[in-house]
Amino acid sequence: MQVGIDSFAAAFQQAGNRPVSNDSEALNQLIDRIERADQAGLDVFGIGEHHRPEFLDSAPTLILAAAAARTHQIRLTSAVTVLSAADPVRVFQQFATLDLISRGRAELVVGRGSFTESFPLFGLNLHDYDALFTEKLDLLLTIRDNEAVHWSGQYRPALTGQGIYPRPLQSPLPIWIGVGGTPQSFVRAGVLGLPLMVAVIGGETHRFRPLVDLYREAGRRAGHAPERLQVGLHSIGYVGNTTQEAIADFYPGYAETFTRIGKERGWPPVTRAHFDAMNSERGALLVGGPEEVAQKILRHSEALGGISRVTFQMDNAGLSHQQLMNAIDLIGTRVSPLLR
């Protein structure tokens, strides 16, 4: 099982007790953490894409390229690229360039995004949410498979044989589909034979098993080999020296962040009882000591029929740079060996 970290590049204004003075320092500390993850032997580091004041990841490939120059083994991916609001030609060019800089370590996780700010920002209609993604994914995969592209669609001018450059070092460039809880998204990934990254940020992880089974069955019916149908798990989590320490560090910032986001989405405020339920044996959160978290991931893997990758989203709880660095060390030296 591959183990990694996902980050949304939290801005310093929302960083709680993080001792940074400005957004520049926050970004440079993030790159330090990617370098530490590489040194700790983690497999992958992902950067999200948002267009909100509390996050600094509106241009994730720039962050990943900076990290590529300071790392050697770790794979560098998006988490996720909001493909519905992007031009697939530029997305491919950016990640192909990242692949060349990193000597073949680039990946994409593409999705529709859970926030919607990018649609009005780039002049798109939110009513076209799914149609935009379907069409743009088709174009992105066409570009991946063809240097000269013949393609036409509804939302972008046609391509009539133009070459798309540069070409990546990897062939093919790895593209995962990031999904939430929509059955059609699981089926689409299966039909296309693309690896699946499941974002589980609430509830109980085992409830996704019917959707994962739907993905695998769609892939089987489409003729894809089982080994192509990989499943990854993106989870909110944090590892401390002990479970008590991890919860004490993580809960206050988590409650503040998700209560604030909840006001936008109509969720109730986060309570400690709610948090404890989410962090229970079957809950979605991965907050605890190394052994407890590793055991929980293995239970999640069994519940989902086997997963090939798990990533921790840790920087949404106002944790300090040093706390995050320590967590990366613990995940690399104590959690990963138990999973592998």
Side-chain angles (χ1 to χ4, degrees):
M1 186 188 302
Q2 293 183 331
V3 183
I5 308 292
D6 289 333
S7 172
F8 295 166
F12 90 98
Q13 293 94 338
Q14 301 294 333
N17 63 352
R18 186 160 45 171
V20 297
S21 58
N22 54 50
D23 287 342
S24 175
E25 186 175 353
L27 273 178
N28 279 280
Q29 288 185 350
L30 171 58
I31 295 169
D32 289 343
R33 294 197 293 275
I34 301 175
E35 184 177 23
R36 178 65 69 86
D38 186 48
Q39 295 166 349
L42 295 183
D43 299 289
V44 61
F45 205 109
I47 301 294
E49 179 192 342
H50 299 83
H51 303 271
R52 298 168 60 88
E54 64 264 40
F55 302 123
L56 301 173
D57 58 352
S58 62
T61 49
L62 292 180
I63 301 172
L64 293 169
R70 290 174 47 183
T71 56
H72 303 284
Q73 301 295 328
I74 197 165
R75 301 192 66 76
L76 302 167
T77 185
S78 56
V80 302
T81 296
V82 185
L83 189 61
S84 303
D87 181 351
V89 173
R90 294 298 286 154
V91 168
F92 183 86
Q93 290 174 327
Q94 289 163 0
F95 279 89
T97 302
L98 174 65
D99 199 51
L100 297 175
I101 293 170
S102 66
R103 302 182 186 273
R105 292 185 283 129
E107 297 185 1
L108 293 91
V109 180
V110 299
R112 296 177 295 181
S114 61
F115 291 97
T116 60
E117 289 82 5
S118 57
F119 288 85
L121 181 64
F122 297 113
L124 300 168
N125 191 330
L126 191 57
H127 293 295
D128 298 325
Y129 182 79
D130 188 61
L132 281 164
F133 181 76
T134 301
E135 178 175 296
K136 292 185 177 188
L137 178 60
D138 176 65
L139 176 54
L140 180 64
L141 295 175
T142 301
I143 295 169
R144 183 179 73 163
D145 296 339
N146 300 276
E147 184 174 323
V149 177
H150 296 267
W151 179 92
S152 62
Q154 179 180 353
Y155 299 102
R156 189 200 187 280
L159 293 169
T160 56
Q162 292 94 330
I164 309 298
Y165 306 105
R167 305 306 296 181
L169 185 62
Q170 298 177 90
S171 182
L173 182 67
I175 297 175
W176 295 59
I177 300 291
V179 298
T182 306
Q184 293 88 339
S185 298
F186 287 79
V187 171
R188 173 164 44 209
V191 169
L192 294 171
L194 296 173
L196 186 74
M197 198 69 186
V198 185
V200 182
I201 62 172
E204 295 184 336
T205 301
H206 74 279
R207 68 189 172 91
F208 282 83
R209 178 61 183 265
L211 295 172
V212 171
D213 288 346
L214 197 62
Y215 160 71
R216 291 187 169 121
E217 177 62 16
R220 185 192 68 78
R221 288 178 177 272
H224 300 298
E227 57 268 21
R228 286 191 60 181
L229 303 173
Q230 300 179 64
V231 176
L233 188 63
H234 161 100
S235 298
I236 295 171
Y238 172 70
V239 178
N241 292 306
T242 67
T243 293
Q244 293 76 15
E245 176 187 296
I247 291 172
D249 288 347
F250 193 80
Y251 171 70
Y254 169 86
E256 188 278 328
T257 296
F258 280 86
T259 296
R260 185 180 67 250
I261 294 172
K263 290 179 180 178
E264 300 178 20
R265 303 191 175 190
W267 301 342
V270 175
T271 64
R272 180 57 189 266
H274 171 80
F275 173 85
D276 289 342
M278 293 260 284
N279 201 40
S280 63
E281 183 173 312
R282 297 171 68 174
L285 298 182
L286 300 176
V287 180
E291 290 74 21
E292 291 85 355
V293 167
Q295 291 167 6
K296 188 171 186 178
I297 292 169
L298 292 173
R299 288 197 299 271
H300 286 346
S301 180
E302 182 179 4
L304 295 178
I307 62 174
S308 59
R309 176 180 290 183
V310 62
T311 58
F312 291 78
Q313 211 292 321
M314 299 192 295
D315 65 355
N316 55 3
L319 296 164
S320 71
H321 175 59
Q322 191 56 55
Q323 286 173 318
L324 293 169
M325 292 283 261
N326 290 341
I328 288 169
D329 287 339
L330 289 169
I331 294 168
T333 61
R334 295 179 60 184
V335 176
S336 293
L338 295 173
L339 299 178
R340 291 169 177 155

